[in-house]
Amino acid sequence: MPRAGQTATALGARLPQRVVLGLLMRAFPPPRVDQILDTLGRREQRQRLLPARLMVYFTLGMWIFGSLSYEEVLAEILRGVPGLTSPGSAPQNGHGPNATATAAAIGRARRRLGVDPLRLLFEEVAGPATAIAPDPLLPGCRRTLRLDSVTIDVPDTLANRIEFGGRVRDSAPGPAFPKVRLSLLIDDRGHRVVAAGLDEGSDRPPLRQLAAAIPPGTLLVMGERAFSPGLWGAVADLGCDQLWNAPDAAELPVHLRLPDGSRISRLPGADGSARRTVRVVSRPGHGLISSILDYRAAPAERLLAVYDRYRTTGLGFEGITIYQGGDRLVLRSKSPDLVRQELYAMLCVHHTIGELVDYTLLDRFTPQQNSL
């Protein structure tokens, strides 16, 4: 099966930026944007060169005109979607239809807009996790969601360093930037981000923020995160089951062998004592651990199939990076609030590009058919 990101990238590469802008207008129509702005009290009481409605679409447009300056992005938005400013308004003190906004003015308008309008737009299109259909790979009516993350460069400013934990360097060549780690709750069957939040520290996903989007009884697949006893306990407290990648699963002691080939084991605690009863599912070179101890509720071959699907789908953000002229997600915002605003805009664009593909159709084809 091809990775979802590769499919989105292929589509994105064929779509002109103006077409994506049109799709954004369809996904987030101006009347709905106006309603959100009115609810939040962000609509202007007087005419502005850069009204809040325009700045919503400007912030979305930053992701599809990623190689352009602020002024050029604004020009593309106004050229592609006439009427986003106050219709029929006459120039006042240079604030008319023919006035030109500077980058500094655009930055101030983004700060006036704030985070909440983009957050509410994303939460609206993400929809409730309860709408996710049961996973056909598992018996009963169990839903599956993946908890994964994406790391993104942010500009190296003092405010960003203070807010996001200092300057983080990696081994990649080129300049080092502070980074934010965005945790994502993903429905991989529909390739939809259900909820998102910034990590609260090193390998600490914002579970309190994501908890409302996780229905009881969900199987939470933990992506490629390294196993953490503390995170295991936090997920268990949410009332959902979990499935982790465990390269060292074969080394865990066997307490009971089950008919499907899996086995019951116990994970050692921090002090070396055995504390957590788990089920181990393994095959040559690969292992999983799960909190589902009843093999009839989730046979070993089904758990392996669930994880294989999640391991091959990716995050799908490659469909956005092609508009930035590179292969990494990089933010422009120099203050923490604008970083959050830009991240919610990214999630909105990700949703819009993902809507172009009915990924559930991929489940109906064999790997040989998909390779074609």
Side-chain angles (χ1 to χ4, degrees):
M1 179 183 295
R3 294 178 64 235
Q6 292 171 335
T7 306
T9 300
L11 269 170
R14 292 196 297 267
L15 283 176
Q17 291 156 311
R18 297 284 183 83
V19 174
V20 180
L21 180 58
L23 293 171
L24 288 171
M25 297 298 299
R26 186 180 69 178
F28 309 104
R32 182 58 191 137
V33 171
D34 289 343
Q35 289 175 354
I36 288 176
L37 293 173
D38 287 339
T39 300
L40 296 171
R42 301 294 167 85
R43 281 237 269 179
E44 299 76 13
Q45 300 302 311
R46 60 186 178 87
Q47 179 190 338
R48 286 187 180 273
L49 172 63
L50 299 171
R53 177 207 281 182
L54 173 60
M55 296 316 299
V56 167
Y57 293 106
F58 172 87
T59 308
L60 296 171
M62 287 168 59
W63 284 102
I64 58 175
F65 299 106
S67 61
L68 301 184
S69 67
Y70 267 19
E71 296 92 337
E72 291 169 329
V73 172
L74 181 62
E76 290 291 342
I77 299 294
L78 292 175
R79 186 181 302 118
V81 190
L84 288 180
T85 55
S86 300
S89 59
Q92 297 178 7
N93 299 323
H95 289 190
N98 298 319
T100 301
T102 64
I106 294 171
R108 290 191 296 270
R110 286 188 62 202
R111 286 191 288 274
R112 286 196 302 270
L113 178 67
V115 179
D116 288 341
L118 276 300
R119 176 182 61 82
L120 291 179
L121 281 177
F122 164 67
E123 291 176 354
E124 193 170 275
V125 296
T130 52
I132 297 172
D135 195 326
L137 290 177
L138 296 176
C141 297
R142 190 184 294 271
R143 298 181 179 93
T144 55
L145 289 171
R146 172 165 51 123
L147 181 63
D148 220 318
S149 64
V150 58
T151 301
I152 307 172
D153 293 340
V154 300
D156 187 11
T157 64
L158 179 60
N160 282 344
R161 275 188 264 168
I162 292 172
E163 179 73 11
F164 302 123
R167 190 179 179 92
V168 180
R169 294 184 178 272
D170 58 20
S171 59
F177 295 92
K179 299 177 187 297
V180 294
R181 186 173 184 178
L182 184 67
S183 283
L184 306 166
L185 198 62
I186 303 170
D187 167 23
D188 267 322
R189 292 197 64 230
H191 296 256
R192 179 166 63 94
V193 177
V194 174
L198 290 178
D199 278 18
E200 299 168 345
S202 178
D203 200 30
R204 288 174 54 198
L207 289 180
R208 287 173 296 179
Q209 183 177 344
L210 303 177
I214 306 176
T218 297
L219 174 61
L220 198 60
V221 182
M222 299 303 292
E224 297 298 326
R225 289 181 182 271
F227 178 78
S228 162
L231 186 52
W232 176 286
V235 172
D237 290 342
L238 298 179
C240 57
D241 285 306
Q242 44 196 311
L243 182 67
W244 291 73
N245 179 41
D248 300 328
E251 300 176 9
L252 292 174
V254 178
H255 293 277
L256 177 66
R257 293 191 181 277
L258 300 175
D260 67 341
S262 62
R263 59 191 187 276
I264 300 297
S265 183
R266 289 181 68 82
L267 295 174
D271 59 357
S273 61
R275 291 185 175 181
R276 301 185 184 279
T277 301
V278 298
R279 182 158 152 244
V280 178
V281 178
S282 60
R283 62 187 175 197
H286 185 58
L288 303 173
I289 55 176
S290 177
S291 60
I292 304 177
L293 304 183
D294 185 352
Y295 72 92
R296 293 163 297 187
E301 62 177 11
R302 297 297 185 92
L303 288 177
L304 287 166
V306 166
Y307 196 85
D308 283 345
R309 181 186 63 206
Y310 281 71
R311 186 166 53 89
T312 57
T313 52
L315 298 177
F317 286 104
E318 297 91 333
I320 294 176
T321 58
I322 61 168
Y323 295 111
Q324 293 194 308
D327 58 359
R328 301 179 70 180
L329 293 167
V330 182
L331 302 187
R332 309 190 195 196
S333 302
K334 297 181 180 180
S335 67
D337 281 348
L338 294 188
V339 165
R340 293 183 174 90
Q341 180 194 78
E342 198 173 348
L343 287 172
Y344 280 116
M346 177 192 72
L347 293 170
C348 289
V349 175
H350 176 271
H351 170 86
T352 302
I353 293 178
E355 286 288 284
L356 298 173
V357 184
D358 182 0
Y359 289 106
T360 60
L361 293 176
L362 295 177
D363 293 337
R364 306 178 189 177
F365 294 92
T366 66
Q368 290 78 12
Q369 288 172 311
N370 280 326
S371 68
L372 297 178

